[in-house]
Amino acid sequence: MRDGGETFVAIGDNAQVLDGRFQRENGRLTGVVRAPIGALQDVDGVAFFRKPQNTLGDSEGLALIDGGYAISFERDHRVMIYRDGAVPKRVELPRDIQSAGENGGVEALAVDAMGRLIAIPETRTGRANGFPVWRQT
């Protein structure tokens, strides 16, 4: 949710994005107005569904960050930052995320009090006893 709970952004598993606004009456939620479902783009400005490799758009995690939002993707493990009207930017992840397996990449995203991304994979990497947590530096 954004704007103090007035608006929202949501993602689908295949690089779709949906923005909307909550309607309220007397403090009660009465409806939702949503924009058409949009297509997330890669750093070259091309929508993922238009790319020949259909696994590029396996979107998973979403976190609101600094006037935009961050989205994590599996298979080609990465995090992208999206801001209105701008070409998305790729965030570098630690090298060991590549050992997470095709469908085991960053599943959950959050932002700490200092505005840094926190990323948690779906599966353990390597021989780790627990799940690693990566924090942007």
Side-chain angles (χ1 to χ4, degrees):
M1 292 198 322
R2 302 184 286 201
D3 303 321
E6 295 295 318
T7 64
F8 67 90
V9 61
I11 59 169
D13 195 41
N14 293 310
Q16 309 99 340
V17 63
L18 173 70
D19 286 287
R21 176 174 297 283
F22 296 110
Q23 294 178 316
R24 290 188 171 82
E25 192 172 301
N26 298 321
R28 296 186 63 164
L29 184 63
T30 59
V32 174
V33 176
R34 67 174 182 86
I37 294 174
L40 291 171
Q41 297 178 349
D42 204 349
V43 293
D44 59 5
V46 176
F48 286 110
F49 78 88
R50 296 196 182 278
K51 298 218 169 213
Q53 186 180 352
N54 64 358
T55 59
L56 289 174
D58 189 5
S59 45
E60 297 293 335
L62 168 70
L64 300 178
I65 186 167
D66 192 29
Y69 46 89
I71 297 179
S72 62
F73 295 87
E74 290 185 324
R75 302 189 196 281
D76 175 14
H77 306 305
R78 67 206 182 283
V79 172
M80 308 275 285
I81 305 290
Y82 291 85
R83 291 193 172 82
D84 286 339
V87 174
K89 295 187 183 199
R90 187 174 178 138
V91 174
E92 292 302 317
L93 294 171
R95 265 187 278 150
D96 52 338
I97 187 62
Q98 300 310 323
S99 67
E102 185 176 282
N103 199 33
V106 176
E107 186 79 10
L109 285 177
V111 177
D112 71 10
M114 296 178 67
R116 298 175 296 191
L117 278 173
I118 297 170
I120 303 171
E122 182 173 353
T123 59
R124 294 183 295 166
T125 56
R127 296 179 160 197
N129 288 330
F131 286 82
V133 175
W134 294 291
R135 185 179 65 208
Q136 189 178 25
T137 55

